[in-house]
């Protein structure tokens, strides 16, 4: 790809060294911008690129696919080695499916388990809500273990031409002393420390957001935060499920005569391979947040579920894993000084439902658009404006919806409000149709029915920043 250099000189053309494993993407020559950071003479093609992406989760790999397909020389740096696990519920709503389809991925195979709606359990009721028919999203969801899903995406990035370095833990940004802009990253590898250079860096390193922290982009205390734990169990009765199951109430049935309501919300997702993914989450608006043994809470809840589901210690298919859920854009700005924040690193988890994969991939798509525009402009004000456009696009895309989600998460942190909402809402199908669209972000951005219009009206009533 032909890019402007920082000095405005013609770009140098060097052969791509292609250290990504098994790639069949374009290995021909590629032009690199003359170094923004390093001396303009010799550049090491193994450690320099047009763009560095830190983290090969859904955000990083998706951005790498889009950029590499457009001919950008991308270094994708990942601290683990594939296949690797990621603590997650493994569920994709239609919003996530849309992003998978946008990459041209075939989801017809047995690797994917399809679902046709959400089953909600609470207030002594169970209701099934089909995914809505919409212009903007498909009408089915998917389940696939992150161990496979993330590897598949990271391989797609390599296939598109990205150079993936695994076992490469990024420790710090490298900054241009004069401008303060990030111009590379320092990393540790099995072979010792390595410094990589690029004029643009995408932070897709997940909830730790190490790179953003290194650049001084702090967490926002005014935005919601969650924590979630999950475990796999073998379960013949629950593994095949055509719905994602959500539990609005968790009960401690140690004393069956006196069940006690526990804090948090749970899920049971059949994996279709003999196992289920079961977990629970809690928001920081709950009194119990930070004062709870989440692993014990999971065991207590599951011990009270029907024996035949098999959600007991003896059927556990692995340890309990947990992680934070950075929600509602709890780290901004999404662009500053050459660094773009994607996915969890930018706090992009939906505060209404804790879903993060779809939004990580959406942020990647928006970031890739801005990066392509930026790389096509000479270094300077116009390039900066293109990059600032990413932060603006994120706000426009999700800012107001996430502000609304923040208000929602504050309200449901109060047990009395949650109890009333569950008891009043669940029996009313029309209301639940609206609630599903709102909570899962599954509404049309134009046209649509009454519920789409109500959600659009609600989001237009709150500020996006
Ligand atoms: C228990 C739980 C259940 C969840 N369930 C769901 C669900 O069912 N559906 C859903 O949509 N979302 C779910 N989420 C949220 C979802 O997992 C995240 O939002 C999503 O993974 C974000 O993707 P990402 O690419 O931004 O970050 P990640 O998936 O976290 O990827 C970050 C990558 O960066 C790498 N990395 C980190 N630090 C460095 C470093 N210093 N150097 C190099 N590489 C680094 C990591 O190894 C990782 O590969 C759940 C989260 C939790 C905790």
């Amino acid at each position: 790809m032909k890019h402007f250099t920082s000095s405005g000189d013609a770009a140098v053309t060097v052969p791509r060294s292609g250290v990504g494993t098994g790639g069949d993407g374009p290995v021909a020559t590629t032009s690199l911008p003359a170094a923004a950071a390093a001396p303009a003479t010799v550049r090491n093609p193994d450690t320099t690129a047009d763009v560095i992406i830190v983290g090969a989760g859904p955000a990083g790999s998706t951005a790498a696919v889009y950029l590499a397909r457009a001919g950008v020389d991308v270094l994708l740096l990942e601290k683990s080695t594939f296949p690797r696990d990621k603590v997650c519920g493994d569920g994709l709503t239609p919003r996530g499916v849309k992003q998978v389809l946008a990459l041209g991925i075939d989801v017809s195979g047995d690797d994917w388990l399809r679902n046709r709606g959400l089953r909600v359990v609470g207030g002594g009721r169970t209701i099934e809500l089909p995914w809505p028919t919409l212009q903007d999203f498909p009408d089915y969801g998917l389940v696939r273990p992150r161990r496979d899903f993330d590897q598949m995406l990271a391989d797609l990035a390599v296939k598109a031409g990205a150079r993936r370095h695994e076992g490469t833990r990024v420790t710090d940004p490298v900054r241009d002393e004069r401008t303060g802009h990030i111009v590379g990253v320092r990393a540790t590898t099995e072979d010792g420390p390595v410094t990589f250079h690029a004029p643009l860096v995408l932070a897709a390193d997940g909830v730790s957001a190490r790179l953003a922290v290194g650049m001084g982009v702090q967490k926002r205390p005014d935005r919601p935060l969650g924590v979630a734990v999950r475990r796999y169990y073998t379960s013949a009765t629950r593994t095949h499920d055509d719905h994602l199951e959500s539990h609005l109430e968790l009960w401690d049935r140690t004393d069956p005569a006196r069940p006690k309501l526990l804090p948090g919300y749970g899920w049971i997702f059949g994996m279709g391979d003999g196992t289920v993914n079961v977990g629970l989450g809690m928001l920081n608006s709950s009194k119990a947040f930070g004062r709870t043994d989440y692993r014990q809470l999971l065991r207590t809840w599951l011990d009270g579920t029907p024996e035949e589901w098999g959600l007991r210690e003896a059927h556990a298919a692995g340890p309990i894993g947990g992680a934070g859920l950075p929600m509602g854009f709890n780290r901004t700005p999404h662009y500053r000084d050459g660094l773009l924040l994607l996915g969890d690193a930018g706090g992009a988890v939906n505060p209404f439902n804790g879903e993060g994969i779809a939004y990580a991939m959406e942020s990647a798509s928006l970031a890739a658009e801005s990066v392509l525009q930026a790389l096509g402009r000479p270094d300077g004000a116009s390039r900066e404006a293109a990059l600032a456009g990413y932060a603006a696009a994120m706000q426009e895309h999700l800012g107001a919806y996430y502000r609304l989600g923040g208000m929602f998460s504050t309200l449901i942190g109060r047990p009395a409000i949650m109890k009333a909402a569950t008891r009043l809402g669940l029996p009313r199908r029309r209301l639940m149709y609206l609630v599903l669209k709102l909570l899962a972000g599954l509404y049309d951005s134009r046209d649509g029915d009454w519920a789409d219009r109500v959600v659009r009206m609600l989001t237009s009533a709150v500020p996006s920043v």
Side-chain angles (χ1 to χ4, degrees), residues 135-157:
Q135 282 178 10
D136 288 3
F137 302 101
D139 62 354
Y140 64 95
L142 292 167
V143 171
R144 186 165 178 181
R146 289 290 297 272
R147 195 179 160 82
D148 297 348
F149 182 75
D150 286 24
Q151 163 124 48
M152 181 268 305
L153 283 182
D155 286 351
L156 197 64

Side-chain angles (χ1 to χ4, degrees), residues 54-61 77-80 82 84 86-93 146 150 168-171 204-211 227-230 267 269 277 279-280 321-326 342-345 348-349 354-361 363:
V54 180
S61 292
L77 309 180
E78 167 58 47
K79 71 175 179 189
S80 7
F82 289 101
R84 61 112 178 86
K86 157 77 178 86
V87 175
C88 186
D90 304 325
L92 293 173
T93 69
R146 289 290 297 272
D150 286 24
T168 303
R169 179 185 293 271
V170 170
T171 53
D205 49 354
V207 63
S208 74
R210 184 166 187 155
L211 205 51
V227 67
V229 294
R230 72 95 174 91
W267 70 85
F269 296 167
N277 180 322
L280 61 84
L325 290 170
L342 277 61
D344 278 14
V349 172
E355 181 180 11
I357 300 169
Y359 302 96
M361 296 173 79
S363 70

Side-chain angles (χ1 to χ4, degrees), residues 42-327:
V42 184
R43 292 189 35 171
N44 178 350
D46 278 350
T47 55
T48 48
D50 296 341
V51 172
I52 290 171
I53 301 177
V54 180
S61 292
T62 301
V65 173
Y66 285 128
L67 289 172
R69 278 182 184 166
V72 176
D73 183 19
V74 175
L75 271 170
L76 179 59
L77 309 180
E78 167 58 47
K79 71 175 179 189
S80 7
T81 48
F82 289 101
R84 61 112 178 86
D85 209 358
K86 157 77 178 86
V87 175
C88 186
D90 304 325
L92 293 173
T93 69
R95 192 145 182 149
V97 178
K98 176 177 180 165
Q99 293 307 310
V100 173
L101 297 179
L103 289 170
I105 294 166
D106 177 9
V107 297
S108 62
D110 293 343
D111 297 342
W112 304 91
L113 185 67
R114 246 171 226 234
N115 55 69
R116 55 197 179 92
L118 183 70
R119 185 180 306 114
V120 185
V121 184
R125 289 173 182 271
T126 299
I127 63 161
E128 291 188 345
L129 301 163
W131 299 123
T133 303
L134 295 165
Q135 282 178 10
D136 288 3
F137 302 101
D139 62 354
Y140 64 95
L142 292 167
V143 171
R144 186 165 178 181
R146 289 290 297 272
R147 195 179 160 82
D148 297 348
F149 182 75
D150 286 24
Q151 163 124 48
M152 181 268 305
L153 283 182
D155 286 351
L156 197 64
V158 172
K159 199 171 172 202
R163 294 182 282 138
R164 186 173 83 205
H165 287 245
E166 297 177 40
T168 303
R169 179 185 293 271
V170 170
T171 53
D172 304 283
V174 177
R175 301 178 84 146
D176 180 307
E177 277 178 19
R178 192 176 50 84
T179 62
H181 269 219
I182 189 167
V183 287
V185 295
R186 275 182 278 276
T188 55
T189 71
E190 224 180 55
D191 304 324
V194 183
T195 301
F196 297 90
H197 287 100
L200 284 177
V201 180
L202 275 52
D205 49 354
V207 63
S208 74
R210 184 166 187 155
L211 205 51
V213 172
M215 289 289 288
V217 188
Q218 300 303 333
K219 211 153 61 187
R220 293 183 60 158
D222 60 333
R223 296 296 157 102
L225 190 73
V227 67
V229 294
R230 72 95 174 91
R231 193 180 208 181
Y232 293 106
Y233 292 84
T234 50
S235 170
T237 53
R238 298 302 315 262
T239 190
H240 296 288
D241 196 345
D242 60 3
H243 282 74
L244 296 179
E245 185 168 295
S246 165
H247 289 250
L248 302 184
E249 295 169 343
L250 309 180
W251 291 97
D252 174 355
R253 299 188 196 278
T254 314
D255 177 357
R258 279 195 201 80
K260 277 191 290 190
L261 188 61
L262 300 165
Y265 316 95
W267 70 85
I268 302 175
F269 296 167
M271 301 299 295
D273 61 355
T275 67
V276 288
N277 180 322
V278 187
L280 61 84
M282 197 182 287
L283 293 165
N284 64 349
S285 54
S286 163
K287 266 192 191 160
F289 185 85
R291 299 197 230 149
T292 301
D293 178 345
Y294 301 106
R295 286 169 170 78
Q296 186 50 45
L297 183 65
L298 182 69
R299 288 191 202 97
T300 306
W301 168 44
L302 296 181
D303 281 349
T305 56
E307 187 88 46
E308 63 275 16
W309 290 3
L311 309 179
R312 301 286 190 277
E313 202 61 38
H315 305 287
I320 302 177
L325 290 170
M327 297 173 160

